[in-house]
């Protein structure tokens, strides 16, 4: 194997949580969800900087929020803080458009688990419409963002 494998951190922002997936050579090695990071813009920027420094990531992947996003104002502000922290780090920052190729997030999760079996342990079951979304869904959103650049 020539050279050091690429290390990637993909970060997804939700209303009340921020999730990260760390990949080495296109394989997820670690993941985390933080509610504290989503409590404020400052917390979000600090947590992202902490993740990037801790993992010494080569690339940071975030979601590119287009004008037609359905995300709320608070989530957009958190996303901007995450992007600012990524841009001001030593890592290369790549923002990608989120694409939903499946009818539901849970079908996408099932598809990701097939390719990345190490994520099977945290994969949620499809929820009933009255249930809250499991927090680990945001990890899979981050993984889907990472996959946009690793599969190209």
């Amino acid at each position: 194997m020539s050279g050091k494998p690429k290390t990637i951190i993909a970060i997804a922002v939700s209303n009340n949580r921020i999730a990260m997936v760390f990949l080495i050579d296109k394989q997820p090695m670690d993941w985390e969800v933080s509610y504290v990071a989503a409590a404020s813009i400052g917390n979000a920027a600090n947590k992202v900087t902490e993740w990037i420094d801790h993992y010494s990531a080569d690339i940071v992947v975030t979601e590119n929020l287009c004008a037609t996003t359905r995300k709320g104002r608070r989530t957009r502000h958190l996303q901007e803080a995450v992007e600012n922290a990524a841009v001001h780090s030593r890592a290369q920052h790549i923002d990608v458009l989120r694409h939903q190729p499946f009818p539901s997030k849970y079908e996408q999760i099932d598809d990701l688990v097939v390719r990345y079996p190490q994520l099977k342990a945290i994969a949620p079951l499809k929820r009933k419409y009255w249930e809250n979304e499991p927090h680990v869904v945001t990890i899979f959103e981050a993984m889907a963002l990472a996959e946009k650049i690793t599969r190209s």
Side-chain angles (χ1 to χ4, degrees), residues 6-18:
K6 284 210 171 175
T7 56
I8 299 169
I9 289 181
I11 300 170
V13 178
S14 211
N15 179 46
N16 63 346
R17 60 191 175 261
I18 297 176

Side-chain angles (χ1 to χ4, degrees), residues 17-77:
R17 60 191 175 261
I18 297 176
M20 170 281 300
V21 175
F22 174 67
L23 297 94
I24 298 177
D25 203 24
K26 301 182 181 181
Q27 289 298 312
M29 296 295 173
D30 199 7
W31 44 85
E32 183 179 341
V33 175
S34 176
Y35 287 93
V36 173
S40 72
I41 292 169
N43 286 0
N46 290 340
K47 189 62 175 180
V48 169
T49 301
E50 179 185 315
W51 282 332
I52 294 168
D53 291 345
H54 177 76
Y55 291 105
S56 299
D58 298 321
I59 299 170
V60 179
V61 181
T62 60
E63 182 179 353
N64 180 350
L65 294 181
C66 57
T68 59
T69 186
R70 292 175 47 200
K71 293 194 182 249
R73 184 177 43 168
R74 182 178 188 287
T75 304
R76 287 193 308 265
H77 289 307

Side-chain angles (χ1 to χ4, degrees), residues 103-118:
S104 78
K105 290 179 183 181
Y106 297 95
E107 290 175 34
Q108 185 174 26
I109 289 170
D110 291 341
D111 183 61
L112 288 168
V113 166
V114 168
R115 283 190 304 287
Y116 308 103
Q118 58 269 50

Side-chain angles (χ1 to χ4, degrees), residues 123-134:
L125 297 174
K126 187 172 182 178
R127 70 183 178 107
K128 307 290 188 231
Y129 69 89
W130 62 83
E131 295 176 330
N132 291 331
E133 181 177 88

Side-chain angles (χ1 to χ4, degrees), residues 83-117:
E83 285 183 19
N84 285 337
V87 166
H88 291 96
S89 71
R90 64 159 192 80
Q92 176 188 0
H93 175 243
I94 300 174
D95 60 340
V96 295
L97 287 172
R98 184 166 175 242
H99 175 64
Q100 181 69 8
F102 297 92
S104 78
K105 290 179 183 181
Y106 297 95
E107 290 175 34
Q108 185 174 26
I109 289 170
D110 291 341
D111 183 61
L112 288 168
V113 166
V114 168
R115 283 190 304 287
Y116 308 103

